[in-house]
Amino acid sequence: MGWKELAESKYDLVPGEEDVLGSNAMDGGAYVSIKLADYTYHVNHVYETVDGGFELLCREDFTGTPGSNVLLSSKNQLGFEEVESRSVVLPNTDGYEFNFSYYRRSYTLNIEHGSGIKKVTGEGTYLYEQEVTISAELEESTAEHSYTWDKWTKKTDEGEEDFATKQSGYKFTMPAEDLTLKANATESTNSYKQIIQKRYEKADGTFTEWEDVINKDIEYGKEFRWSVEAVGDYQAASIAPYRVTEDRTTRVTIYRKRFNVTVDKSTGISETTGTEEYRVGQTVTVTATPATGYSWKNWTSTDITGSNDQTYEFTMPRKAVTITANATINTYNITYNLEGGTNNASNPANYTIETEAIKLKDPTRTGYTFAGWTGSN
């Protein structure tokens, strides 16, 4: 048997078939077909890395006949540019490699922000799976409002949904889609400590220690007011209403009720003391001085209990007091030294400071003529 050799090619003998490359007659008139043998081929699927290089992620091996048409299928992945499958003619090279290169897609990141967010960073265009850093800066607090970080949300066709973090600064890898994120803050109205302290005036004019009546946080802008009604010995008290804008401590003194004492004087009283305003419970002292020709009698009043004491102390009640100083007129006896004579019946036996000038009648004595009155006054 003889063979026709084709240099640098591989052939298989196929008895009984027509020679696809040319035929050689064999002894006896038979034919032997000479056919190219199958080669091994490789298909490499290489994917772009984030840093711009490439990485082999998949390798496929197959055998085929050189010169034949073969459809090579691509392996498209999410986040990479699509590559079409392609039909190739197998070359006459054993171990030949075909390459599919897949390039990463770029996606856009938009960042919005709501109230309370001063600025955001991180917007831009990123490759699929590229590391992204986003951050949000809060607005500075004002006297009225404060801001605290809430969360990142992602805009969707249906609205918004929570994103993957509640941190204002965050790193993530870019997904295979355009993103619109929103930085969200929570606005809260500031509250300020409002303290009301009170003290009470004592009957002697001194005061109790300060004590808290109110000690609580009130929101900015709220109207704040406080008052207490008059109760018992004490007057009503209040503060002027105001809008809360800061911490504030207000001190209120609750004073005792005050009433007037009026000291009247009846006939025979020349001077009195004690007419003025007094605190309820205060010790009141009143005095009176009888006029010449009068003696002290007593104090009388329809508001308090009277007294015989010329200097009188009493506790101020919860009402005004009128008190009267009373005196008794003095009566002075007249002593007549008639030296044996007889007094005139019209001559008085006594007199008072109120008595008008007395003109004495002459006494009589047998055998005598009245010469006149002499005496100490």
Side-chain angles (χ1 to χ4, degrees):
M1 179 182 297
W3 301 97
K4 180 180 180 182
E5 181 177 350
L6 297 178
E8 298 180 1
S9 295
K10 294 170 63 180
Y11 302 94
D12 291 335
L13 298 178
V14 185
E17 293 185 2
E18 182 180 358
D19 183 4
V20 295
L21 299 179
S23 59
N24 293 312
M26 303 180 71
D27 293 340
Y31 288 87
V32 176
S33 296
I34 299 175
K35 179 182 178 184
L36 286 174
D38 286 343
Y39 283 173
T40 299
Y41 298 94
H42 309 287
V43 179
N44 299 318
H45 298 273
V46 292
Y47 294 83
E48 183 186 22
T49 58
V50 174
D51 60 7
F54 286 89
E55 181 180 5
L56 176 65
L57 293 184
C58 180
R59 181 184 178 92
E60 298 175 304
D61 299 324
F62 69 94
T63 58
T65 303
S68 60
N69 287 320
V70 177
L71 179 64
L72 301 180
S73 298
S74 60
K75 292 185 177 294
N76 290 310
Q77 300 290 324
L78 183 68
F80 291 85
E81 298 289 349
E82 288 191 2
V83 176
E84 294 183 353
S85 298
R86 64 180 185 265
S87 180
V88 298
V89 176
L90 295 179
N92 188 21
T93 303
D94 190 23
Y96 188 87
E97 296 189 356
F98 296 93
N99 292 317
F100 281 97
S101 297
Y102 302 88
Y103 291 88
R104 290 177 180 267
R105 289 181 182 272
S106 293
Y107 295 95
T108 300
L109 171 61
N110 295 310
I111 301 180
E112 300 176 351
H113 63 83
S115 62
I117 300 295
K118 184 176 182 179
K119 68 177 182 179
V120 292
T121 61
E123 279 192 332
T125 301
Y126 297 90
L127 293 174
Y128 170 61
E129 292 185 328
Q130 184 177 352
E131 185 178 86
V132 180
T133 299
I134 57 175
S135 67
E137 181 180 342
L138 293 172
E139 290 278 7
E140 293 182 359
S141 296
T142 65
E144 182 174 4
H145 294 118
S146 292
Y147 303 96
T148 55
W149 173 252
D150 183 14
K151 59 186 175 182
W152 290 100
T153 54
K154 171 185 172 182
K155 287 201 168 183
T156 66
D157 293 338
E158 292 74 29
E160 290 186 7
E161 62 182 32
D162 288 354
F163 194 52
T165 179
K166 288 194 173 182
Q167 298 173 346
S168 60
Y170 182 61
K171 290 183 179 181
F172 63 95
T173 55
M174 191 69 187
E177 61 176 340
D178 291 331
L179 279 181
T180 298
L181 301 180
K182 183 178 179 182
N184 299 277
T186 299
E187 179 184 271
S188 58
T189 301
N190 293 331
S191 292
Y192 292 94
K193 184 75 71 180
Q194 303 302 301
I195 299 174
I196 298 293
Q197 294 182 330
K198 69 177 180 180
R199 67 175 180 175
Y200 290 93
E201 182 184 33
K202 298 180 182 179
D204 62 2
T206 60
F207 299 93
T208 61
E209 296 296 324
W210 292 106
E211 59 178 305
D212 286 357
V213 181
I214 293 178
N215 187 331
K216 63 181 180 180
D217 294 327
I218 306 294
E219 283 190 352
Y220 180 96
K222 295 286 187 181
E223 184 180 75
F224 186 76
R225 59 178 66 230
W226 179 86
S227 64
V228 62
E229 295 180 352
V231 177
D233 295 344
Y234 294 94
Q235 303 177 39
S238 63
I239 63 171
Y242 63 88
R243 299 283 178 183
V244 173
T245 59
E246 61 184 353
D247 292 337
R248 180 184 293 192
T249 297
T250 304
R251 287 182 161 181
V252 180
T253 298
I254 302 177
Y255 291 95
R256 284 181 171 260
K257 293 177 181 177
R258 284 169 161 73
F259 296 97
N260 288 322
V261 171
T262 301
V263 181
D264 288 339
K265 53 186 178 181
S266 62
T267 302
I269 299 296
S270 62
E271 294 181 359
T272 60
T273 64
T275 295
E276 58 183 276
E277 185 181 71
Y278 294 90
R279 297 177 295 275
V280 171
Q282 183 176 353
T283 297
V284 179
T285 301
V286 292
T287 65
T289 302
T292 300
Y294 291 86
S295 298
W296 173 251
K297 183 179 181 182
N298 62 10
W299 294 99
T300 57
S301 175
T302 59
D303 302 310
I304 59 172
T305 302
S307 174
N308 293 326
D309 297 333
Q310 190 171 343
T311 297
Y312 179 37
E313 290 185 353
F314 62 90
T315 300
M316 189 66 192
R318 298 173 187 167
K319 61 180 179 179
V321 171
T322 298
I323 191 169
T324 302
N326 301 294
T328 300
I329 193 168
N330 294 334
T331 299
Y332 301 98
N333 291 324
I334 302 175
T335 301
Y336 294 94
N337 184 5
L338 300 176
E339 296 183 354
T342 301
N343 197 6
N344 190 300
S346 297
N347 287 336
N350 51 53
Y351 68 94
T352 70
I353 194 68
E354 301 296 334
T355 301
E356 295 181 0
I358 300 172
K359 186 174 182 180
L360 296 175
K361 302 283 186 163
D362 293 344
T364 61
R365 181 179 180 185
T366 302
Y368 290 87
T369 300
F370 182 67
W373 296 100
T374 62
S376 61
N377 295 306

